[in-house]
Amino acid sequence: MAIREIRKKDDEVLYKPCKEVVAFDKKLAILLDDMYDTMKKYEGVGLAAPQVGILKRVVVIDVGEGLIELVNPKIVEASGTQNGPEGCLSVPGVFGEVERPNQVTVEAQDRSGNTFFITGEELLARAFCHEIEHLEGKLFLDRVTKFIENE
Ligand code: CO
């Protein structure tokens, strides 16, 4: 259990592609646990490994329906569209409208290496897209159609 430092948008680690996870070991388990603690501490709904400086295809998400751990995730199906506000722990205080698919199915592995499929709608679908793009070295800022003024 440890809180890791969240890399902010000027950090080049956020713009590099991540490597596939091949070792489903203790180190991966610790990374996942730390990412969960870090996401909760900063009140995020998702966190990708590059945001804590690790270039591996690892994501944690909790949109209020429980923890989802995604190792080597990829989107295998997407349908519909939604428009809504999006933010990122690496870009604090900035929110913008982003169009995403409304329903997204992801294929991933769990921390033991077992493959599973998970389908999410609305906020969960948005989180899948946002976090998986982090693994490609992309931030949501590129997709913002309109920035939202903070109160
Ligand atoms: Co983000």
Side-chain angles (χ1 to χ4, degrees), residues 1-147:
M1 303 273 282
I3 307 295
R4 300 205 186 188
E5 183 199 345
I6 294 189
R7 305 302 182 93
K8 300 303 190 311
K9 78 169 184 348
D10 292 334
D11 195 318
E12 62 183 24
V13 76
L14 293 173
Y15 304 95
K16 293 178 176 172
C18 292
K19 291 197 168 80
E20 290 278 310
V21 172
V22 291
F24 293 83
D25 55 9
K26 184 87 198 280
K27 203 173 165 190
L28 174 65
I30 290 169
L31 174 63
L32 281 160
D33 290 344
D34 286 358
M35 285 173 62
Y36 178 76
D37 292 341
T38 306
M39 173 177 74
K40 286 291 165 189
K41 158 106 176 159
Y42 294 103
E43 299 177 344
V45 298
L47 194 69
Q51 293 183 276
V52 292
I54 306 291
L55 287 170
K56 287 183 180 171
R57 295 186 62 85
V58 176
V59 161
V60 294
I61 289 171
D62 186 349
V63 296
E65 301 165 6
L67 170 63
I68 298 167
E69 296 180 344
L70 303 173
V71 179
N72 299 328
K74 58 182 182 202
I75 292 170
V76 292
E77 215 174 300
S79 62
T81 56
Q82 58 172 318
N83 268 288
E86 209 162 296
C88 180
L89 292 177
S90 293
V91 195
V94 176
F95 298 89
E97 291 280 329
V98 179
E99 185 181 298
R100 298 289 190 184
N102 197 50
Q103 184 172 314
V104 171
T105 300
V106 171
E107 178 182 357
Q109 287 165 280
D110 66 17
R111 61 168 67 197
S112 304
N114 303 302
T115 297
F116 65 96
F117 292 83
I118 182 167
T119 299
E121 292 182 351
E122 298 174 2
L123 182 56
L124 184 53
R126 178 177 295 283
F128 285 153
C129 295
H130 179 114
E131 301 310 332
I132 289 170
E133 282 185 354
H134 272 298
L135 306 180
E136 318 295 342
K138 293 179 195 154
L139 294 189
F140 81 111
L141 294 172
D142 298 337
R143 289 186 176 277
V144 170
T145 52
K146 185 184 166 207
F147 285 94

